[in-house]
Amino acid sequence: MSKTASMVMKIIGASLAFAAFVCLLIGGWQDLSVGMCGMKSRMTKRFGSEYDDYADEELYD
């Protein structure tokens, strides 16, 4: 490959990497603004156990 084509490919690769970083930043903006505690509560809510809905304490009274 010539030097010009190599330079063009490097520029295209760098611009695609930058675009991916911007998309990742925009997609995760809510989690970044809430912080680590907010993200942990969202993940717990999303991936919680299926048995968390039951009130086990009330069953054994």
Side-chain angles (χ1 to χ4, degrees):
M1 246 189 329
S2 68
K3 289 184 179 184
T4 306
S6 177
M7 179 66 84
V8 169
M9 293 299 284
K10 287 180 183 179
I11 291 171
I12 291 172
S15 63
L16 286 175
F18 179 72
F21 176 73
V22 168
C23 289
L24 181 66
L25 187 66
I26 291 171
W29 189 258
Q30 177 68 30
D31 292 334
L32 290 174
S33 65
V34 171
M36 190 62 180
C37 295
M39 188 168 59
K40 184 178 177 185
S41 67
R42 285 182 62 193
M43 295 301 259
T44 303
K45 188 186 312 179
R46 182 176 291 170
F47 298 112
S49 175
E50 63 181 304
Y51 301 110
D52 289 344
D53 296 341
Y54 300 111
D56 293 336
E57 294 83 20
E58 295 176 5
L59 292 175
Y60 299 112
D61 284 338

